[in-house]
Amino acid sequence: MKSVAIAGATGAVGQELLAILAERNFPLKSLKLLASARSVGKKIKFKGEDITVQELRHDSFEGVDLVLSSAGGSISKEYMPSAVKAGAVVVDNTSYFRMNPEVPLVVPEINPQDIKKHKGIIANPNCSTIIMLLPLFPLYKAFGVERVHACTYQAASGAGATAMEELRLECAALAAGKTFTRTVIPHQYAFNLFPHNSSYNDGSSAKSSVHAPTGYCEEEWKMVAETHKIFGDENLRVNATCVRVPVLRAHSEALNIRLSKKASVAEIYDVLRTAPGVEILEEPSENRWPMPIDASGKDPVFAGRVRVDQSQDNAFDMWIVGDQIRKGAALNAIQIAELL
Ligand code: A2P
């Protein structure tokens, strides 16, 4: 039995963490809900009982065994060292610690062994990365992967609960012919899409703190760097173009994968059929493939539409969809906690 604290309990991922802890009957001794001063006193139901939200502070972690943190990178940077000092293990959902060599970056279906190396913090990977790697890893093991290119179609949930609410409100306003003032999302989102709005490296020295190479945004580079770290393979060629689409909560990705060993479409389906956390979902005769509404609220990454890429040797295209808040964030974090 563990004493657990959720940092960012009122957010989109925080709420899902609560739902999954209850669903999977996580062995809890106690549960502390932490958020900003704005949420103090708010009551949140967990297994029929009201829990009062407390302010996240440096002294919030006394007696806590496990912290599930999803309040944003700067909050993790500031508070999670205090959690470790107090003796807790942190599963961190933000990008802040992910590339720190002292911090394991874990997808339980891929590199559970890395958990053992932790020194108090384990990082949960980026949502688009987790969703891409679930079907990619078994193919990597079976055939080797020369190169993968992902085009993402990312939901509003990746920008948090307030972005989801803003998309709902903007859709309603625009459908009613009204104007809408955005506060969270930088561009019109309803009936539109835009390349991912994470920091873009334009090559100027002012942007030198941006980790991505010139011309990339951070989200795209996370998919590259985190894949290398999780697979333990710096040589794997990975590339991504990330786009936000007006979908509430599941990310879709078009993957183009060049394999090292010869394979057929049938062999790829055979591997995917037994891949942990992956489910084939398609009815080709109906022209029906995985969609965000199929994946929303579900655990697996749904895959389909595997076909030969006619433009190059031994390359295949595939369409995948996964719930960003569940496997892309909260579920992966709780699977890590269960392994711990
Ligand atoms: P709050 O609701 O009090 O603002 P999301 O990713 O869905 O936007 O959620 C972000 C989460 O992080 C929320 O629970 C939010 O709490 C929390 N959060 C944001 N800023 C802070 C802060 N300064 N201290 C603690 N929690 C914070």
Side-chain angles (χ1 to χ4, degrees), residues 8-13 34-36 38-39 42 56 70-72 75 79 159-162:
T10 52
V13 174
L34 305 167
S36 78
R38 294 178 292 273
S39 300
K42 220 184 220 176
L56 171 63
S70 62
I75 305 295
Y79 293 97
T162 43

Side-chain angles (χ1 to χ4, degrees), residues 199-248:
S199 308
Y200 170 75
N201 189 348
D202 63 6
S204 70
S205 56
K207 292 276 175 88
S208 62
S209 65
V210 174
H211 172 64
T214 300
Y216 283 79
C217 70
E218 287 283 2
E219 183 79 359
E220 290 159 350
W221 200 245
K222 282 176 190 171
M223 292 184 74
V224 178
E226 293 183 18
T227 299
H228 288 163
K229 182 165 175 178
I230 295 162
F231 280 18
D233 181 355
E234 292 287 322
N235 298 319
L236 180 60
R237 283 185 278 173
V238 184
N239 201 18
T241 298
C242 294
V243 175
R244 280 203 200 275
V245 295
V247 164
L248 280 176

Side-chain angles (χ1 to χ4, degrees), residues 67-83:
V67 181
L68 301 167
S69 175
S70 62
S74 59
I75 305 295
S76 283
K77 176 185 177 193
E78 164 87 17
Y79 293 97
M80 291 313 121
S82 302

Side-chain angles (χ1 to χ4, degrees), residues 4-304:
V4 175
I6 299 181
T10 52
V13 174
Q15 290 292 293
E16 201 67 24
L17 284 165
L18 276 166
I20 298 174
L21 285 175
E23 241 174 73
R24 294 170 78 100
N25 243 333
F26 192 89
L28 286 173
K29 197 175 349 162
S30 64
L31 181 59
K32 209 172 201 182
L33 303 185
L34 305 167
S36 78
R38 294 178 292 273
S39 300
V40 170
K42 220 184 220 176
K43 302 233 184 297
I44 296 183
K45 279 234 178 308
F46 180 74
K47 289 189 166 177
E49 272 180 44
D50 279 334
I51 303 183
T52 306
V53 176
Q54 302 173 39
E55 184 177 1
L56 171 63
R57 296 169 13 164
H58 288 283
D59 62 1
S60 296
F61 307 105
E62 219 165 283
V64 170
D65 303 306
L66 172 72
V67 181
L68 301 167
S69 175
S70 62
S74 59
I75 305 295
S76 283
K77 176 185 177 193
E78 164 87 17
Y79 293 97
M80 291 313 121
S82 302
V84 176
K85 243 182 236 151
V89 177
V90 176
V91 180
D92 189 54
N93 248 304
T94 75
S95 61
Y96 185 71
F97 297 104
R98 285 185 195 145
M99 296 314 294
N100 182 328
E102 303 271 285
V103 174
L105 182 65
V106 175
V107 180
E109 292 86 345
I110 300 175
N111 59 338
Q113 69 284 356
D114 287 350
I115 285 181
K116 293 199 194 100
K117 300 178 201 153
H118 84 81
K119 294 180 177 155
I121 299 177
I122 299 162
N124 207 40
N126 164 269
C127 47
S128 303
T129 310
I130 297 176
I131 290 166
M132 171 173 76
L133 297 194
L134 241 52
L136 188 69
F137 186 65
L139 297 174
Y140 174 83
K141 279 202 304 187
F143 309 112
V145 170
E146 291 269 304
R147 177 180 185 266
V148 58
H149 185 269
C151 291
T152 71
Y153 304 71
Q154 298 185 214
S157 53
T162 43
M164 294 169 79
E165 184 57 11
E166 196 162 292
L167 174 59
R168 277 193 203 96
L169 295 172
E170 191 182 33
C171 282
L174 267 59
K178 295 183 184 151
T179 55
F180 182 76
T181 309
R182 285 175 297 277
T183 56
V184 187
I185 300 169
H187 311 291
Q188 180 178 325
Y189 201 8
F191 317 118
N192 191 29
L193 55 80
F194 52 89
H196 201 281
N197 55 305
S198 52
S199 308
Y200 170 75
N201 189 348
D202 63 6
S204 70
S205 56
K207 292 276 175 88
S208 62
S209 65
V210 174
H211 172 64
T214 300
Y216 283 79
C217 70
E218 287 283 2
E219 183 79 359
E220 290 159 350
W221 200 245
K222 282 176 190 171
M223 292 184 74
V224 178
E226 293 183 18
T227 299
H228 288 163
K229 182 165 175 178
I230 295 162
F231 280 18
D233 181 355
E234 292 287 322
N235 298 319
L236 180 60
R237 283 185 278 173
V238 184
N239 201 18
T241 298
C242 294
V243 175
R244 280 203 200 275
V245 295
V247 164
L248 280 176
R249 65 171 285 168
H251 288 359
S252 306
E253 300 183 19
L255 302 184
N256 182 264
I257 305 167
R258 198 157 74 227
L259 299 174
S260 315
K261 285 194 209 139
K262 282 262 173 261
S264 66
V265 166
E267 286 170 321
I268 290 175
Y269 272 112
D270 283 345
V271 169
L272 293 178
R273 241 174 246 119
T274 56
V278 177
E279 202 173 303
I280 307 292
L281 179 71
E282 57 183 6
E283 282 177 53
S285 62
E286 309 279 322
N287 216 341
R288 173 77 168 77
W289 317 102
M291 294 189 280
I293 49 169
D294 300 317
S296 291
K298 309 257 175 63
D299 289 348
V301 170
F302 295 94

